[in-house]
Amino acid sequence: AQSVAQPEDQVNVAEGNPLTVKCTYSVSGNPYLFWYVQYPNRGLQFLLKYITGDNLVKGSYGFEAEFNKSQTSFHLKKPSALVSDSALYFCAVRDRAGGGADGLTFGKGTHLIIQP
Amino acid sequence: EPEVTQTPSHQVTQMGQEVILRCVPISNHLYFYWYRQILGQKVEFLVSFYNNEISEKSEIFDDQFSVERPDGSNFTLKIRSTKLEDSAMYFCASSPGQGQNQPQHFGDGTRLSIL
């Protein structure tokens, strides 16, 4: 069985400061990892993914994430936070050994609040 | 940019009634999914659909649930006899056919309220 842990319910960051949203995962094989963002009353929007290769993945809106196999982590980062980044962020995993129709396993989400 | 669309945005139904949630996936996508999100909780996988049949389903997806792709564009989730605990946001998603590393694209969801 696969699982995702997002240890922080909420992260508060001042505008202009760097931000980190933490994620650790557990899969039986090798993972595909994803970050999604959810704004109020909207669906999940894809931010970035790790498939293979470079451990630092760049995505939409200036976000990036670092895959660390030894720590089974995939933390989301941004060098300089914007107030508009305030939203609910979900980390998700699927096992590479699975088929194309496998569902994603999501973490419980982290509320990111950027203070002006 | 093409989007996944879901209707209605909000559905209110009496307990015990049947409800059908509708989705139009992105047109060239081949894999379709339903997820649900109970208020304040994480997004949970329900079912995936490929090549006109269910590919994978979670333990949440019991005999009360069914999915269908009736006309080549719509993808529906039916709950036969709704229960109070079915109240949640239901998200439809789709992805291209190039493999499981492709991101799933989500609709804005249908909020289902069971009275």
Side-chain angles (χ1 to χ4, degrees):
Chain A
Q2 53 200 34
S3 65
V4 175
Q6 293 181 242
E8 304 151 317
D9 289 336
Q10 184 170 304
V11 171
N12 295 285
V13 177
E15 186 177 26
N17 282 1
L19 68 88
T20 298
V21 182
K22 295 180 180 176
C23 170
T24 59
Y25 66 90
S26 173
V27 295
S28 56
N30 291 309
Y32 291 124
L33 293 156
F34 305 84
W35 275 100
Y36 284 83
V37 59
Q38 185 181 32
Y39 297 99
N41 301 313
R42 299 298 302 276
L44 287 80
Q45 295 180 33
F46 169 73
L47 275 181
L48 52 79
K49 64 181 180 181
Y50 171 79
I51 302 302
T52 187
D54 195 346
N55 289 340
L56 185 63
V57 178
K58 294 188 183 298
S60 306
Y61 312 119
F63 284 93
E64 57 190 29
E66 186 166 12
F67 171 65
N68 187 316
K69 186 172 183 178
S70 63
Q71 297 184 5
T72 63
S73 67
F74 190 56
H75 301 331
L76 181 69
K77 301 181 180 185
K78 187 173 182 180
S80 179
L82 300 172
V83 172
S84 57
D85 293 331
S86 298
L88 182 59
Y89 289 80
F90 290 96
C91 182
V93 68
R94 69 194 311 184
D95 195 327
R96 286 194 199 187
D102 281 5
L104 294 170
T105 297
F106 285 89
K108 63 180 174 60
T110 298
H111 283 98
L112 177 62
I113 298 175
I114 309 301
Q115 293 150 335
Chain B
E1 186 174 332
E3 294 182 340
V4 175
T5 57
Q6 291 185 242
T7 55
S9 57
H10 191 188
Q11 174 79 45
V12 181
T13 301
Q14 291 288 330
M15 185 173 60
Q17 295 296 305
E18 175 183 286
V19 66
I20 297 176
L21 309 183
R22 303 182 191 279
C23 169
V24 178
I26 295 173
S27 62
N28 62 345
H29 285 188
L30 301 179
Y31 295 91
F32 314 113
Y33 311 83
W34 282 102
Y35 292 80
R36 80 172 184 191
Q37 184 181 30
I38 295 172
L39 184 64
Q41 299 186 25
K42 65 181 180 181
V43 178
E44 300 173 292
F45 169 72
L46 292 178
V47 65
S48 61
F49 192 87
Y50 171 70
N51 201 25
N52 287 319
E53 61 183 19
I54 291 174
S55 295
E56 185 189 1
K57 59 183 181 179
S58 72
E59 57 191 26
I60 302 169
F61 194 87
D62 61 23
D63 291 344
Q64 296 292 334
F65 291 89
S66 63
V67 290
E68 194 177 31
R69 187 157 163 81
D71 57 13
S73 62
N74 290 285
F75 180 51
T76 62
L77 174 69
K78 181 190 293 185
I79 308 175
R80 186 165 60 230
S81 179
T82 51
K83 303 186 286 286
L84 292 176
E85 53 264 38
D86 294 327
S87 295
M89 282 290 288
Y90 288 81
F91 293 105
C92 174
S94 68
S95 66
Q98 291 91 350
Q100 72 267 37
N101 61 350
Q102 294 301 312
Q104 296 174 18
H105 298 260
F106 286 76
D108 283 345
T110 293
R111 180 174 299 282
L112 178 62
S113 300
I114 307 301
L115 303 179

